[in-house]
Amino acid sequence: MRPSRRHLLATLATLTAWPLPGRTEALDDTLAGLQRAWRPSLAWRPDPGWRTQALATARRLMLQPGDDGGALATDLIAEQDRGSHVAQALTLRGALGDRMPALYLRPKGAGPHPAVLVMHDHGARFDIGKEKLIRPLSPNPSAEAWVQRYYGGAFVGDTLADAGFAVLAIDALGWGERSRPGFARDDQQALASHLMQLGHSWAGLIASDDLRAHRWLRERPEVDAGRVAVLGFSMGAFRAWQLAAVAPEVSACVAAHWMCTREGLLRPGQHTLQGQSAFSMAHPGLAAELDHPDVAALIAPRPLLLMGSPEDRLFPWDAVQASWKQLAPAWPAGTGLLSTAMTAGGHRFDADQQRHACEWLARTMRRSS
C-alpha cells in the first residue's frame, strides 16, 4: 500500500525537526558557549554578607569534609645542625590518616619565632616535593637540579630560616615520598579518578593537608602562632593563596606566579584545558561560585604579595593583570597590604625574588606582631 501524500509530508516534517549532521553544534562550540555564559554566582562584592557566604562556600568546596586540621601526630626521623638553625625530617598525619613526610627548619634560640609554611610547585616532577624548597638532609641531585632550574640555585626555605623564620614544607599527595616510582604526568588523571570514585577530591586533599601543616606549625612551642605566613611558587602559589583564603589564621601570603582570571586560563591552548595536572588544582563545583580572584579576595585585609611575569608562558599577562585589578578593591585603599610585583624571566622564583619575598615578610611580620 503506497503511503499517502499527507503521510509523507508529516514524516518529512518530523525528520526536519531533528538537527541534521551538518548543522549540529560542535563540541568546541558548545564549550565556548558555556564559557561565554559563565558567571560565578558569588563574585566579590563590597558588603559584609559576601565574606560570610563566600568563606563558607570556599571551605565546603575546597577542603576535605569535616577536616579541621586536628588529630596531628609527629614522628622525628632525623635532624641536622645547620648553624643558625636545625633541620629535621618528620612525618605528620595527612587528611586521609596517611604519613605526610615533612622537612622542618627550627631556628636556634627560645623564640617565639615567626614562621612560614612553604608549598612546593607541580612541575610534572613527582619524585621530589618538599625537597624543592628545603635542602634535604642527604644529597639529592634531583632537588639540586630543580632548584638551579626554577629557584636560581637557592632553597627558599633555607633562605627564610637564615633570616630567622621557622619553616615547614610537606610532600603534597602524589609528590616526593607520597608518590611512587615511575609516577609521571599521564598518571595524574588516574589518581584523580581513583580518588573521586572513593568520594574524595585530589585538590581538596592537598588543600586539607596544607591546612593541617599550617596548624602543626602554629602549635609549635617555639613559634609565634600569630605570625605564621604561607609562601609558594607556581602550584605552590595556588596552594598558598587558597589556604590563606580559607584559613583566617594565616597571617600573610606570598604567591609567586599563579594568579589569573579563570577566563585567561580557559583560552585555547592553556594548560588547564589539557587535563592531567589540572586535576590537582580543580575543585569540583567551585567555578560555579567563585573565580580565582574571588577566592583570593577572602585574604583581605591580611597582607598578600603577588608576583607575575609578562614572559610567563603559563599565565597570559593580560589575564594576570586583570586578576590583580579585580582583587584590588577588596583591600583598604592606601594601606599597601596588597602588593604586586612584575618580575623578569618568566616562570621562575629566583634568588632576587626570594630576597624580595623574605624582606616583605620580615616587614609584614613586624607590623603584625
Side-chain angles (χ1 to χ4, degrees):
M1 182 177 177
R2 295 178 62 187
S4 67
R5 177 181 175 82
R6 181 178 298 176
H7 178 75
L8 288 171
L9 289 174
T11 302
L12 181 60
T14 301
L15 290 172
T16 55
W18 290 88
L20 297 175
R23 296 167 57 188
T24 55
E25 191 171 34
L27 175 60
D28 289 343
D29 294 334
T30 300
L31 295 173
L34 284 174
Q35 185 174 335
R36 286 192 299 270
W38 171 75
R39 298 290 185 278
S41 64
L42 276 177
W44 180 84
R45 60 180 190 270
D47 67 76
W50 174 84
R51 173 173 295 277
T52 301
Q53 189 178 4
L55 179 58
T57 299
R59 290 184 67 90
R60 174 173 56 84
L61 294 173
M62 292 167 59
L63 296 174
Q64 181 76 352
D67 188 23
D68 64 354
L72 297 166
T74 310
D75 292 316
L76 175 62
I77 307 303
E79 67 178 26
Q80 187 178 83
D81 191 314
R82 293 186 175 174
S84 66
H85 58 274
V86 174
Q88 294 180 328
L90 311 168
T91 59
L92 312 180
R93 182 177 297 165
L96 293 176
D98 59 329
R99 290 175 62 255
M100 188 165 68
L103 289 172
Y104 178 49
L105 303 181
R106 189 191 73 235
K108 294 181 178 178
H113 305 285
V116 185
L117 174 64
V118 291
M119 284 103 153
H120 67 72
D121 59 73
H122 186 293
R125 182 66 186 263
F126 302 100
D127 61 322
I128 49 176
K130 59 191 180 299
E131 299 86 0
K132 297 177 179 182
L133 302 164
I134 293 178
R135 185 181 299 278
L137 273 62
S138 328
N140 187 317
S142 294
E144 293 285 350
W146 196 258
V147 166
Q148 288 293 333
R149 181 176 179 183
Y150 287 108
Y151 294 86
F155 288 89
V156 63
D158 296 66
T159 300
L160 288 164
D162 287 337
F165 292 91
V167 185
L168 177 69
I170 64 168
D171 283 332
L173 186 64
W175 280 266
E177 297 176 68
R178 299 177 81 192
S179 188
R180 63 166 180 257
F183 190 86
R185 179 183 181 278
D186 291 347
D187 294 317
Q188 295 175 90
Q189 188 164 313
L191 171 60
S193 177
H194 196 155
L195 290 168
M196 284 182 187
Q197 293 183 81
L198 294 172
H200 300 288
S201 154
W202 189 17
L205 289 169
I206 292 172
S208 287
D209 284 343
D210 288 339
L211 175 69
R212 298 169 75 82
H214 191 267
R215 179 169 173 175
W216 183 91
L217 194 50
R218 293 199 320 273
E219 294 182 354
R220 295 306 89 207
E222 67 274 12
V223 166
D224 181 348
R227 294 188 295 160
V228 183
V230 293
L231 175 149
F233 159 67
S234 194
M235 184 187 82
F238 172 88
R239 293 166 59 193
W241 60 252
Q242 75 170 3
L243 179 62
V246 299
E249 303 84 5
V250 173
S251 59
C253 175
V254 176
H257 306 284
W258 206 125
M259 173 48 67
C260 193
T261 61
R262 196 176 299 273
E263 178 278 327
L265 295 179
L266 290 177
R267 296 175 188 174
Q270 288 300 314
H271 63 288
T272 55
L273 301 180
Q274 298 171 15
Q276 300 299 349
S277 64
F279 286 100
S280 61
M281 294 169 273
H283 296 281
L286 184 64
E289 310 285 348
L290 299 158
D291 194 358
H292 301 308
D294 298 325
V295 175
L298 287 166
I299 301 170
R302 288 167 290 150
L304 171 63
L305 170 61
L306 297 170
M307 294 182 175
S309 174
E311 303 158 59
D312 192 331
R313 293 182 296 175
L314 295 179
F315 298 94
W317 181 236
D318 66 310
V320 172
Q321 292 177 298
S323 72
W324 292 0
K325 184 177 180 181
Q326 191 173 326
L327 276 167
W331 271 260
T335 61
L337 294 172
L338 173 63
S339 301
T340 57
M342 183 179 71
T343 68
H347 198 71
R348 60 199 310 267
F349 188 45
D350 60 25
D352 287 340
Q353 294 177 53
Q354 292 180 36
R355 192 176 305 110
H356 176 63
C358 188
E359 292 170 355
W360 182 88
L361 281 169
R363 291 194 303 272
T364 297
M365 295 299 193
R366 283 197 297 269
R367 181 162 44 185
S368 64
S369 61

